[in-house]
Amino acid sequence: MTLSDPLEPESVAPAVADLDTIVSLSKRRGFVFPSSEIYGGINAVWDYGPLGVELKNNVKRAWWRSMVQLRDDIVGLDAGILMHPQVWVTSGHVGSFSDPLVECGTCHRRFRLDELPGAEGLTAAELRDEGIVERLGLRCPVDDGPLSAPRRFNLMFQTHMGPVQDEASIVYLRPETAQGSYVDFKSVLGASRKKIPFGIVQIGKSFRNEISPGNFVFRMREFEQMEMQYFVRPGEPAAAAFEEWLPRRRAWYEAYGVDPGRLRLREHAPDELAHYAKKAVDIEYRFPFGWKELEGVHNRGDFDLSRHSEATGESLDYFDPATEERFIPWIVETAAGADRAAFTFLIDAYREEEVRGETRVSLALHPELAPYKVAVLPLLKKRAEIVELCHRIKADLQREVMAVYDDTAAIGKLYRRQDEIGTPWCVTVDVGSLEDGAVTIRDRDSMAQERVDAGRVRSIIVDRLAAARP
Ligand code: GAP
């Protein structure tokens, strides 16, 4: 796969011009709140509200479906967040998992050097250069104070395990899920009886003490990853697997509704590659704050399994009975963020349009990702028989999908509320329903309405969901 998208940020408009639009919708409608808000919040940690947790769970389910359920060569794993501390020495994270940090001599605020205005696009060598701040004339973006020379800042969170807090009891909160899949490689291989090529996936929390978190849930200190490690024969087969996984992962975002024009690929320059990577390409999305990484696809070679094998004395090789060869597999990794993916789907689904002189806001979320699949609404809440029929339809739907009943406003307003949270279908019960047993299904995107028999609502919704599923 070639990198065919040399688009400049200016040539592609974001789905939402101002990030605040999404931040305020998220807070107002219960997608995402600042963590510990009544204590003033804690920087770079966010809580998912009732709708946000549904959206993120749906994103994770959709990913798991495409990576495990629909494949015969990939299995799941849920390794611990805390691992033997030596894992992180061997993996290179204790030595190399760091960002360049500079500090203002006046206000003592700390910044990631490559995020300062005027320092974007610096090479890895330049970011390590002690004289770079002076040479570029960089100043503190807050108070224009003098900045220190860059130093490396390790991003791993440390804690202590057990009752004694000393050097020997230090453990780390994992900064990636990947290492669990490497150290459990032999156990998973033995238990699953898979043959190479095969993959191990994990979804789980990771932690990074980011120097400059921000842009809402884009960069957090506690976040969730969805990572796959695909074990392949060394050399050319690994390169070929990389070329297959890259478009497949990009296509996954498109299948769930992300505008292909707002996705592009960016290959890491040799001096930008992470310590483990032979090749890395980011799938980037055009966020309101620029083109940024959504997911990374990496060819990690045999770095991880060789290092863990050397460090432990455990052989992590693979015997191929067909060719009678023994080798250390290479790894192609697809590393996505559950929060970043949910955030992207949310931004990309945002729509504003004029309808009868009013602004209609809707989230055109893929039905699989929408928090509620259907809302059941009474046209007249004063009529007990209408409300009762609504509850019966909703209870029937709830056995299969997330459904909600709402009667707290007039019907027009109820539709707008559901549009704004991305509910693909509304079912309305009116006086006529009591006579002919028919109800209205309204489509979120087209606003088209159709009459259907109340007894068929569940199967219609279930069929439509199945038809929409990639
Ligand atoms: N195992 C390889 C690895 O962790 P990465 O590019 O550092 O690679 C993979 O991270 C993905 O995890 C990113 O593309 C992003 O979606 C997500 N991610 C990384 N750091 C994050 C952060 N601070 N906040 C939210 N998501 C993050």
Side-chain angles (χ1 to χ4, degrees):
M1 171 108 191
T2 51
L3 304 186
S4 54
D5 312 301
L7 299 170
E8 292 305 315
E10 299 71 36
S11 66
V12 176
V16 178
D18 186 355
L19 182 60
D20 283 345
T21 309
I22 295 296
V23 176
S24 71
L25 176 109
S26 294
K27 173 129 202 238
R28 188 160 33 87
R29 301 313 309 269
F31 281 94
V32 178
F33 312 120
S35 169
S36 322
E37 200 175 10
I38 60 170
Y39 283 90
I42 173 168
N43 201 1
V45 185
W46 295 88
D47 295 345
Y48 286 80
L51 296 182
V53 70
E54 294 298 335
L55 171 64
K56 193 159 84 147
N57 281 343
N58 292 340
V59 168
K60 290 189 283 185
R61 242 178 250 131
W63 185 85
W64 196 270
R65 179 174 179 276
S66 89
M67 302 298 276
V68 182
Q69 185 183 331
L70 295 178
R71 297 193 63 101
D72 301 324
D73 55 347
I74 303 181
V75 292
L77 175 71
D78 185 10
I81 287 172
L82 300 175
M83 301 180 76
H84 192 294
Q86 195 60 36
V87 167
W88 304 108
V89 177
T90 305
S91 69
H93 284 80
V94 169
S96 317
F97 193 58
S98 55
D99 279 337
L101 175 143
V102 292
E103 182 170 341
C104 172
T106 316
C107 68
H108 299 289
R109 284 190 178 84
R110 291 169 164 199
F111 305 95
R112 211 173 114 171
L113 174 58
D114 53 335
E115 302 228 314
L116 284 177
E120 310 96 338
L122 290 181
T123 63
E126 286 168 325
L127 291 170
R128 285 176 194 275
D129 177 353
E130 295 221 331
I132 191 76
V133 168
E134 208 178 324
R135 218 170 43 256
L136 293 181
L138 299 173
R139 308 286 296 182
C140 173
V142 177
D143 65 3
D144 204 37
L147 292 172
S148 67
R151 69 178 171 87
R152 303 303 299 182
F153 176 79
N154 194 290
L155 302 184
M156 280 200 296
F157 278 101
Q158 287 184 11
T159 186
H160 294 270
M161 184 169 263
V164 182
Q165 303 213 341
D166 60 11
E167 276 289 306
S169 67
I170 289 176
V171 290
Y172 302 96
L173 302 190
R174 69 178 175 200
E176 62 171 14
T177 65
Q179 298 302 322
S181 300
Y182 306 146
V183 301
D184 287 354
F185 167 70
K186 268 271 149 96
S187 308
V188 175
L189 184 66
S192 65
R193 309 183 70 80
K194 292 285 171 205
K195 300 240 170 344
I196 270 177
F198 88 102
I200 302 178
V201 300
Q202 291 199 69
I203 296 180
K205 288 267 176 152
S206 293
F207 301 81
R208 295 182 191 179
N209 196 7
E210 299 280 2
I211 299 169
S212 25
N215 287 324
F216 196 37
V217 296
F218 176 80
R219 189 176 292 132
M220 302 190 281
R221 294 195 169 117
E222 173 181 338
F223 56 98
E224 224 168 338
Q225 289 187 306
M226 310 188 290
E227 296 196 301
M228 180 210 56
Q229 315 303 321
Y230 201 63
F231 301 89
V232 279
R233 294 179 71 86
E236 184 44 40
F242 183 98
E243 298 303 322
E244 281 171 20
W245 275 106
L246 186 57
R248 191 178 286 146
R249 288 302 308 145
R250 178 184 179 149
W252 182 78
Y253 293 100
E254 294 174 4
Y256 282 96
V258 174
D259 183 335
R262 294 198 199 97
L263 291 171
R264 74 174 188 184
L265 305 177
R266 190 184 73 79
E267 180 159 4
H268 286 210
D271 73 343
E272 188 194 350
L273 287 172
H275 58 275
Y276 51 74
K278 282 191 178 316
K279 179 172 180 174
V281 175
D282 288 344
I283 301 171
E284 292 190 335
Y285 176 70
R286 175 60 165 105
F287 287 96
F289 39 89
W291 286 102
K292 298 280 176 197
E293 175 185 343
L294 177 56
E295 168 163 350
V297 179
H298 312 128
N299 181 345
R300 300 180 68 128
D302 66 357
F303 178 87
D304 304 279
L305 291 184
S306 295
R307 295 273 296 235
H308 286 303
S309 186
E310 280 158 26
T312 58
E314 285 282 333
S315 115
L316 295 177
D317 57 9
Y318 175 83
F319 178 71
D320 187 339
T323 60
E324 302 209 325
E325 283 172 285
R326 193 173 280 286
F327 55 86
I328 300 243
W330 282 25
I331 292 163
V332 172
E333 173 185 58
T334 67
D339 309 274
R340 219 172 264 186
F343 185 37
T344 299
F345 289 123
L346 194 62
I347 295 172
D348 214 68
Y350 188 86
R351 308 272 185 278
E352 272 183 23
E353 62 185 317
E354 283 299 302
V355 177
R356 288 187 287 282
E358 280 185 21
T359 305
R360 179 174 94 110
V361 172
S362 66
L363 288 182
L365 287 169
H366 187 285
E368 283 279 287
L369 304 184
Y372 291 118
K373 309 307 175 202
V374 54
V376 185
L377 314 170
L379 203 67
L380 271 182
K381 71 168 176 179
K382 287 194 185 121
R383 287 286 296 269
E385 313 93 288
I386 291 182
V387 172
E388 198 257 335
L389 181 54
C390 281
H391 282 297
R392 264 196 287 137
I393 295 171
K394 193 210 61 172
D396 192 37
L397 282 161
Q398 265 177 324
R399 295 170 53 213
E400 299 288 344
V401 297
M402 286 296 292
V404 64
Y405 169 81
D406 191 6
D407 67 5
T408 56
I411 192 70
K413 198 159 184 190
L414 294 180
Y415 283 151
R416 294 289 176 273
R417 275 190 203 157
Q418 295 301 325
D419 291 343
E420 206 190 21
I421 61 171
T423 308
W425 300 288
C426 288
V427 172
T428 311
V429 178
D430 54 30
V431 179
S433 313
L434 302 177
E435 285 151 21
D436 62 7
V439 296
T440 302
I441 297 184
R442 172 190 178 268
D443 181 88
R444 174 197 65 201
D445 300 332
S446 66
M447 292 186 285
Q449 305 197 359
E450 61 187 304
R451 291 295 276 184
V452 303
D453 189 80
R456 289 184 50 233
V457 168
R458 175 160 63 116
S459 65
I460 290 172
I461 298 293
V462 168
D463 287 352
R464 282 187 191 172
L465 268 173
R469 209 167 278 144

